[in-house]
Amino acid sequence: VQLVESGGGSVQAGRSLKLTCAASGYPFSRCEMAWYRQAPGKERELVSRISTGGTTNYADSLRGRFTISRDNAKNTLFLQMNRLKTEDTAVYYCAADRGSYLKSTYWTTCNYWGQGTQVTVSS
């Protein structure tokens, strides 16, 4: 199983970035997907989540600026981040962290994480 994030980088406040997470090795469409982030010295926090059916939710502070989406045909998760702020600086992680599927004869829980991608927003 692999989750590989890309699209991070350094941008000025007010700009946009789009993160991509390419998943492989498991039935992508069977797992709920999420983006988390961890800023220096802080705990990891949930940014946004998308269900297998496409229902989304967001951290209250991010609703309206960030948009999560998924392409089940391409096993890919996205996070569009607009009007970035310096406080959005963090390592962003992609995760398949809810749901389950049959692997051979066993139910397997979705619990997979990417390695993270750095997003740095400067003023």
Side-chain angles (χ1 to χ4, degrees):
V1 173
Q2 274 196 313
L3 295 177
V4 180
E5 302 98 335
S6 60
S10 297
V11 296
Q12 287 190 318
R15 300 280 188 155
S16 299
L17 278 177
K18 186 172 185 176
L19 304 183
T20 299
C21 173
S24 62
Y26 73 98
F28 179 78
S29 63
R30 297 299 304 273
C31 296
E32 191 165 310
M33 300 296 298
W35 287 99
Y36 291 80
R37 70 183 183 184
Q38 187 166 20
K42 296 187 177 181
E43 293 188 354
R44 189 174 297 186
E45 64 174 351
L46 176 68
V47 172
S48 182
R49 177 178 299 286
I50 185 166
S51 72
T52 56
T55 301
T56 59
N57 60 58
Y58 299 89
D60 287 342
S61 62
L62 302 176
R63 190 173 287 111
R65 292 196 299 122
F66 288 14
T67 303
I68 191 171
S69 60
R70 64 190 298 166
D71 184 339
N72 288 338
K74 296 183 178 180
N75 294 348
T76 306
L77 178 72
F78 303 99
L79 184 69
Q80 177 68 47
M81 305 185 293
N82 297 329
R83 302 190 302 280
L84 283 161
K85 303 177 180 180
T86 55
E87 53 263 42
D88 295 320
T89 294
V91 178
Y92 285 72
Y93 298 89
C94 163
D97 65 347
R98 287 184 182 177
S100 58
Y101 59 93
L102 269 176
K103 183 176 182 180
S104 182
T105 59
Y106 298 94
W107 281 101
T108 301
T109 300
C110 302
N111 186 18
Y112 311 120
W113 289 79
Q115 82 289 349
T117 186
Q118 176 70 46
V119 172
T120 303
V121 185
S122 59
S123 59

